[in-house]
Amino acid sequence: MKAEQAVAHLHLLGCLLPLLIDVVTASEFKLDGDYLMGGLFDIHHVSGAYPHYKPETITCSSERLILSSYRRFQVMRFSIDEINNSTNLLPNVTLGYEIFDHCSDIQNFPGIFNLISENNFIYPWDELSKNVSKVIAVVGTYTSTETLSVAPLFMTDLIPMVSYGAASSVFSRKKNFPSFLRTVHPNKDVIEVLYNILQNFNWRWVSFLYSEGDYGKDGLDLFMKKIKDTEICLAYTKGLNENTDYPLLFRQLEAQRVNIIIVFAPEWTAEALIKGAIKQNVTNKVWIAGDAWSLHKELPKENGIRNIGTVLGVAEPKMNIPGFNDFIYSSTGQSQHDDKDEQTFCNQICECPNVTAADVINADPSFNFPVYSAVYAVAHALHNVLQCGSGRCNTAISVQPYMVLTALRKSSFVLINESVQFDENGDPMFGSYSIVFWNQSGEAEEVGFHRFPPFVQFFINSTKIQWHSDGKEPASFCSKECPEGYSKAQEGIHKCCFHCKICPDGTYINTTEDPYNCISCKETEWSDPGSTLCNLRLVEYIPFTDSGAIVIMFGASTFVGLTVAMSALFAFNYNTPVVRSAGGPMCFLILGCLSLCSLSVFFYFDKPTIASCVLRFLPFLLFFTVCLAGFVVRSFQIVCIFKIASKFPKLLSWWMKYHGQWLVISGAFVTQAVLLIIGYSVAPPKPYSDVFSYTELIILGCDLNLKAISGSVSLLASLCSLCFIFSYMGKDLPKNYNEAKAITFCLLLLILTWIVLTTTTMLYHGKHIHTFTALAVLSSLYSFLLWYFFPKCYIIIFQPQKNTQQHFQGLIQNYTKTVSQ
């Protein structure tokens, strides 16, 4: 329904056009030819809202003249004149044109209707296959907003519209704009160059000022997407229009401490901004101009322009169009004289008698080649549609705009050393951008370039730029970069505003991956505070070749040899009083168990394994239990014989009858074995890497679960306590029977040894703790060997007179007399 209403309105407008306007040929704006091209140029510009009280078009010639647009208008006229004089392109075929001054995006529709009408009528689309437009293609318009306003009227009949200035991204959508092409690069390419400039100078804190319209807003959206997930922050944005409060704008920029100002706006908006900056005495800024105003001719010469800072810009390369200057000199004066007294169609008059040829030639040359290449692209497309060749064209072909569109999309020709082609979106696949600097002479000096695919290149010669800051390249940041080894802690919404925190030990910072978080080192690595990488930890353990290990293993081997020798000595003197008083057959059990205990010492060295961790504790805990149980029994027997038997004779009788000593030892052994099996089943010892004691070291050891072996240790402690109690009770027994004193002394040495080891373990966590533990085990064994068994051996070998029955009986009688007294 809405489509039908739109058709009806267009039909009505077409019918009214003859009544509203008179068609009169204007020499500058109209040229007859075999095929007609349309042109839309904003030769004049309407600034601000235009008041009107009834539906009427605007008179563009009464508005401000844009000299650069007038130059582009002349480029189109020159291009068609050059093509018509060519013998290679469109031979014997002439191109005509009808150009309109499109100074407003909403009040210039009579010119558009004129282009899509036939004999001043716009027909409804009764016959979709029949095109009634008198033009084969349209060149224009300049701005994105203007193009968005008028493009749908040309898209309906697939009339090719080749824009030389509309850079908004929306025009790349062929679903919405099927017959739209452009010879100017879209905004995304300009944004790419702007981004490269920021990256080249390491500018991180920037502002983006844009014109309020489709062109500026599209540029802002593209820029924000481009800098997302980069180190560049957008500190300030502002849309510019004719009502912008420039004093307020510059105060806000100063408050944000922004030194880099990107201005993405057409030349008339940029003029107002820069003049406002001069007036407000804005200083020491870097201004980055978009391609729409970077080659402005008057602004670089404006009084006070040097005070605002440094102006860089992205621009179309300055490309000389051969013959254009001669065309301007020969045609400008004549055309103005011819137009002076002629009536024209709406907005087909310049009224610029004061404009000289020199003014046109010296005007801003921006977008001149896009106009030139747009006209030539249409001409080459028509050349292909008419099947031109060998000096003639097939004029019998009925040319329709859609046929020209098809040929346009396939364009491929060389124009002033540029290979003109379009991609699938109708965007140009040719051209490059220049990086310019407004020098002291008021000229836009080229200082770099950006070339597009397939050979992407970006270069800036910074030495050519005369910076405002005493020749030094200016910096722009919210917060200074953190020193090496520090992470950034963001402040507020901008990631460029932060404070610095040193990375603690065990972490490092990788600014290329994530400058905001310290990364933890692996367990096998270490780092000092403020590190940028981790160092591999040195793995330490006691090898068998360690001098301390060799000494201890030699001591353990010697210990085994001594126990074997003592066992042999006791065996040869088995029936002597000294051997019987030492325990008789129990001596061989204790000596054997002490030897087995010494096996644990050998497993404290070399790289720990599961087996070595188990054998490091198991033999000592199990067989030392038997040793302690034997000494408990031996202490009890001595005390029982001399002190308890007289008071409790039945106890001695029971003890002798049921071999109480072997029951106690067997019970202690079985109990310890069960406790060890349970503990090792719950939490068996296993290799353990100590990564906490030293930052730069890993100490290899065995993980012994204290809860799992608490029962075993408690049993040992209980036996040790009983042994100490019984032995202490027999401290005053006869000299040759005073094993209790020896046992007491051995126990004191044992307790002192493990207290020293426990204290050392609490204070020291290095690899030598394993050496100390092995030494403690060996010391515990030697204490019993040397202070209990060695004195017996000494008597047997060196004092045989004391190893007699008479000697021992004499000692017992003396003890009895002493006790009775």
Side-chain angles (χ1 to χ4, degrees), residues 617-626 628 665-680 708-717 719:
F617 305 105
L618 180 62
F620 179 76
L621 291 173
L622 183 61
F623 296 112
F624 200 67
T625 300
V626 177
L628 284 179
I665 293 172
S666 300
F669 176 78
V670 172
T671 303
Q672 186 66 289
V674 171
L675 290 173
L676 286 172
I677 290 172
I678 294 173
Y680 277 24
I709 65 167
S710 59
S712 299
V713 174
S714 298
L715 179 60
L716 282 175
L719 292 173

Side-chain angles (χ1 to χ4, degrees), residues 592-636:
C593 287
L594 287 175
S595 297
L596 292 174
C597 286
S598 66
L599 294 176
S600 295
V601 172
F602 295 92
F603 298 101
Y604 279 91
F605 309 111
D606 204 37
K607 193 172 183 179
T609 62
I610 294 177
S612 67
C613 286
V614 171
L615 295 175
R616 184 175 291 188
F617 305 105
L618 180 62
F620 179 76
L621 291 173
L622 183 61
F623 296 112
F624 200 67
T625 300
V626 177
C627 295
L628 284 179
F631 285 116
V632 168
V633 170
R634 185 64 191 145
S635 301
F636 176 76

Side-chain angles (χ1 to χ4, degrees), residues 295-539:
L295 297 181
H296 202 291
K297 290 296 183 179
E298 289 83 26
L299 273 179
K301 299 178 175 65
E302 190 79 19
N303 288 332
I305 191 68
R306 302 289 162 257
N307 297 331
I308 68 171
T310 304
V311 180
L312 302 177
V314 179
E316 296 273 346
K318 296 177 182 178
M319 191 173 293
N320 182 40
I321 301 176
F324 176 67
N325 291 356
D326 295 335
F327 172 80
I328 295 299
Y329 278 115
S330 63
S331 65
T332 303
Q334 182 65 34
S335 64
Q336 289 180 1
H337 173 75
D338 291 344
D339 288 349
K340 186 175 181 181
D341 299 320
E342 291 185 11
Q343 281 187 318
T344 61
F345 185 81
C346 183
N347 291 326
Q348 283 191 309
I349 188 170
C350 181
E351 290 188 359
C352 43
N354 296 325
V355 177
T356 65
D359 293 334
V360 176
I361 292 170
N362 294 324
D364 182 352
S366 299
F367 304 101
N368 281 200
F369 185 75
V371 174
Y372 191 58
S373 56
V375 174
Y376 265 88
V378 174
H380 277 277
L382 181 60
H383 183 93
N384 293 329
V385 171
L386 293 175
Q387 302 172 357
C388 298
S390 302
R392 57 181 296 278
C393 296
N394 186 0
T395 55
I397 296 175
S398 177
V399 178
Q400 296 293 323
Y402 73 87
M403 300 166 67
V404 178
L405 174 62
T406 302
L408 263 172
R409 289 172 175 167
K410 299 176 182 178
S411 293
S412 181
F413 60 93
V414 176
L415 187 65
I416 314 183
N417 298 322
E418 287 284 357
S419 179
V420 178
Q421 291 178 301
F422 300 95
D423 63 16
E424 66 275 8
N425 298 319
D427 295 332
M429 297 173 62
F430 59 92
S432 61
Y433 275 114
S434 295
I435 314 299
V436 297
F437 157 66
W438 287 8
N439 60 27
Q440 300 294 326
S441 302
E443 301 292 334
E445 178 183 352
E446 184 172 332
V447 296
F449 59 83
H450 178 94
R451 295 195 178 98
F452 296 104
F455 306 107
V456 178
Q457 284 182 296
F458 178 84
F459 171 76
I460 293 181
N461 186 354
S462 302
T463 59
K464 289 186 176 182
I465 302 174
Q466 299 170 348
W467 300 106
H468 60 271
S469 51
D470 299 326
K472 296 179 181 179
E473 183 181 301
S476 183
F477 49 80
C478 179
S479 300
K480 287 186 177 181
E481 283 298 312
C482 291
E484 194 175 71
Y486 285 73
S487 66
K488 299 176 181 178
Q490 185 172 323
E491 296 176 343
I493 61 172
H494 294 294
K495 60 180 178 292
C496 293
C497 301
F498 50 83
H499 64 270
C500 300
K501 298 191 302 183
I502 191 169
C503 288
D505 57 351
T507 66
Y508 72 99
I509 187 74
N510 187 338
T511 54
T512 57
E513 291 184 4
D514 184 4
Y516 295 92
N517 294 294
C518 298
I519 305 170
S520 297
C521 295
K522 299 177 182 177
E523 278 199 351
T524 56
E525 298 174 335
W526 69 278
S527 68
D528 289 323
S531 296
T532 57
L533 51 84
C534 291
N535 303 304
L536 197 62
R537 289 190 177 196
L538 183 64
V539 179

Side-chain angles (χ1 to χ4, degrees), residues 100-169:
F100 294 92
D101 186 358
H102 196 78
C103 62
S104 171
D105 55 337
I106 58 174
Q107 292 174 287
N108 271 178
F109 283 94
I112 308 302
F113 293 141
N114 183 279
L115 290 176
I116 63 175
S117 67
E118 175 68 19
N119 297 324
N120 300 318
F121 282 89
I122 298 176
Y123 295 92
W125 304 301
D126 294 332
E127 301 178 36
L128 297 179
S129 60
K130 180 181 178 183
N131 182 273
V132 297
S133 174
K134 58 189 176 185
V135 298
I136 58 168
V138 176
V139 174
T141 60
Y142 177 51
T143 70
S144 296
T145 301
E146 292 169 350
T147 305
L148 278 170
S149 299
V150 303
L153 296 174
F154 296 105
M155 301 298 108
T156 54
D157 283 329
L158 295 181
I159 299 173
M161 187 175 184
V162 187
S163 176
Y164 53 86
S168 178
S169 302

Side-chain angles (χ1 to χ4, degrees), residues 143-363:
T143 70
S144 296
T145 301
E146 292 169 350
T147 305
L148 278 170
S149 299
V150 303
L153 296 174
F154 296 105
M155 301 298 108
T156 54
D157 283 329
L158 295 181
I159 299 173
M161 187 175 184
V162 187
S163 176
Y164 53 86
S168 178
S169 302
V170 70
F171 298 116
S172 296
R173 303 173 190 167
K174 292 301 99 181
K175 182 178 179 181
N176 303 95
F177 300 93
S179 61
F180 180 89
L181 299 94
R182 53 184 160 193
T183 51
V184 64
H185 282 274
N187 280 339
K188 67 179 181 66
D189 292 339
V190 181
I191 295 299
E192 178 71 22
V193 183
L194 292 173
Y195 173 76
N196 287 337
I197 293 174
L198 298 178
Q199 289 287 77
N200 182 81
F201 294 111
N202 200 32
W203 289 329
R204 297 287 179 259
W205 191 239
V206 302
S207 62
F208 194 95
L209 307 182
Y210 60 96
S211 57
E212 284 191 343
D214 300 283
Y215 167 73
K217 291 178 180 177
D218 180 63
L220 175 63
D221 291 341
L222 291 170
F223 183 73
M224 292 178 70
K225 290 178 182 177
K226 185 66 181 177
I227 65 173
K228 185 180 180 182
D229 300 325
T230 70
E231 294 182 351
I232 299 173
C233 292
L234 190 54
Y236 181 80
T237 63
K238 179 68 176 179
L240 306 176
N241 56 38
E242 63 279 359
N243 298 317
T244 298
D245 185 344
Y246 288 111
L248 175 61
L249 183 150
F250 295 127
R251 285 197 300 272
Q252 291 172 339
L253 280 172
E254 285 298 327
Q256 293 292 332
R257 297 178 290 108
V258 185
N259 295 329
I260 310 301
I261 305 173
I262 299 172
V263 182
F264 203 80
E267 59 182 284
W268 44 85
T269 305
E271 278 182 19
L273 173 69
I274 297 301
K275 289 178 180 179
I278 295 172
K279 184 178 180 181
Q280 296 298 319
N281 196 29
V282 176
T283 59
N284 300 326
K285 304 294 182 186
V286 175
W287 305 79
I288 304 180
D291 57 341
W293 66 282
S294 57
L295 297 181
H296 202 291
K297 290 296 183 179
E298 289 83 26
L299 273 179
K301 299 178 175 65
E302 190 79 19
N303 288 332
I305 191 68
R306 302 289 162 257
N307 297 331
I308 68 171
T310 304
V311 180
L312 302 177
V314 179
E316 296 273 346
K318 296 177 182 178
M319 191 173 293
N320 182 40
I321 301 176
F324 176 67
N325 291 356
D326 295 335
F327 172 80
I328 295 299
Y329 278 115
S330 63
S331 65
T332 303
Q334 182 65 34
S335 64
Q336 289 180 1
H337 173 75
D338 291 344
D339 288 349
K340 186 175 181 181
D341 299 320
E342 291 185 11
Q343 281 187 318
T344 61
F345 185 81
C346 183
N347 291 326
Q348 283 191 309
I349 188 170
C350 181
E351 290 188 359
C352 43
N354 296 325
V355 177
T356 65
D359 293 334
V360 176
I361 292 170
N362 294 324

